[in-house]
Amino acid sequence: AQKVTQAQTEISVVEKEDVTLDCVYETRDTTYYLFWYKQPPSGELVFLIRRNSFDEQNEISGRYSWNFQKSTSSFNFTITASQVVDSAVYFCALSDLTGANNLFFGTGTRLTVIP
Amino acid sequence: NAGVTQTPKFQVLKTGQSMTLQCAQDMNHEYMSWYRQDPGMGLRLIHYSVGAGITDQGEVPNGYNVSRSTTEDFPLRLLSAAPSQTSVYFCASSRVSDGEKLFFGSGTQLSVL
């Protein structure tokens, strides 16, 4: 069965520190997709990144970077030089086995950036 | 661009009442779905649809009904509300092709007393 584990329930960092959010997944699919979504205090869900299981290249977008390692079934998310606006709940998600676009979400990590 | 629109934003029900949460999208997306978000549990899939006239159950479908008569609309019906259905509900849509990102509505906060 699909499973996504975000072991860090809450993290607090001081502004400008780097922080890594961990995501470990389980699937028996050979083709799958991994996602990260951000949920700021306003409550909406904002798409951050999608990664195909065949593409293990790391990705960087500004202060955000993602490290995908199939060998350890991990898809970790690093924020460099954190800012107060990064305070949010971050969800890692995995495509499920139905073939539709359903996602199986982790329980989320609440990040608080202290000014 | 409206995107995915959910109404209402907030709702309070009494146990046993029924209601419909509305979801509409204007992106011509074939895929639509409903998730519920509970503290400490992430988002869980209730029902989904890959096109008009086609619906299927997700992980937690009990107590909910859906229909998809048009591409744009995907309402979620609570048949007889229970306190366990107190949650935040999100509607999402996307194109139907592998790995498409989901576009989410702003959510409906539902309390059942």
Side-chain angles (χ1 to χ4, degrees):
Chain A
Q2 309 290 80
K3 187 176 180 181
V4 176
T5 301
Q6 294 181 257
Q8 304 151 309
T9 305
E10 295 191 27
I11 301 175
S12 292
V13 298
V14 176
E15 200 171 21
K16 298 184 183 175
E17 286 185 345
D18 299 347
V19 58
T20 295
L21 310 182
D22 297 332
C23 174
V24 175
Y25 63 92
E26 294 178 28
T27 180
R28 50 187 171 85
D29 263 353
T30 54
T31 301
Y32 52 90
Y33 294 83
L34 292 159
F35 299 79
W36 277 94
Y37 282 84
K38 174 182 179 180
Q39 187 176 43
S42 54
E44 76 272 22
L45 286 147
V46 179
F47 167 82
L48 295 177
I49 190 172
R50 174 188 64 192
R51 175 61 75 220
N52 180 310
S53 56
F54 293 111
D55 181 2
E56 289 194 69
Q57 271 194 318
N58 292 331
E59 182 153 342
I60 298 174
S61 176
R63 296 183 297 106
Y64 294 173
S65 63
W66 290 268
N67 180 269
F68 176 34
Q69 292 195 339
K70 284 181 76 172
S71 60
T72 56
S73 296
S74 64
F75 186 42
N76 296 337
F77 173 31
T78 297
I79 301 174
T80 303
S82 59
Q83 299 177 1
V84 173
V85 293
D86 296 326
S87 295
V89 180
Y90 291 86
F91 290 99
C92 181
L94 170 67
S95 55
D96 78 3
L97 303 174
T98 63
N101 292 350
N102 302 327
L103 294 181
F104 193 88
F105 284 83
T107 52
T109 297
R110 180 178 299 277
L111 173 66
T112 302
V113 181
I114 304 165
Chain B
N1 290 338
V4 180
T5 302
Q6 287 184 238
T7 55
K9 290 192 183 300
F10 302 95
Q11 184 70 49
V12 179
L13 292 178
K14 292 182 180 178
T15 298
Q17 286 185 317
S18 62
M19 80 157 296
T20 299
L21 306 186
Q22 302 290 347
C23 177
Q25 52 90 11
D26 62 358
M27 297 174 281
N28 203 32
H29 285 164
E30 305 96 332
Y31 170 89
M32 295 185 75
S33 57
W34 279 99
Y35 289 83
R36 60 178 287 174
Q37 181 179 14
D38 301 295
M41 300 190 74
L43 281 81
R44 293 180 293 166
L45 181 67
I46 305 172
H47 286 286
Y48 67 99
S49 168
V50 296
I54 305 169
T55 63
D56 209 340
Q57 296 181 351
E59 182 184 357
V60 288
N62 292 342
Y64 307 96
N65 245 353
V66 292
S67 60
R68 185 93 179 271
S69 55
T70 67
T71 299
E72 294 78 18
D73 300 299
F74 191 44
L76 178 72
R77 297 182 187 84
L78 279 69
L79 308 173
S80 177
S84 60
Q85 294 178 304
T86 293
S87 188
V88 180
Y89 292 84
F90 287 96
C91 179
S93 75
S94 74
R95 297 181 301 175
V96 173
S97 52
D98 284 351
E100 287 290 333
K101 70 178 184 182
L102 300 186
F103 292 81
F104 283 89
S106 57
T108 296
Q109 190 165 324
L110 175 68
S111 294
V112 183
L113 306 177

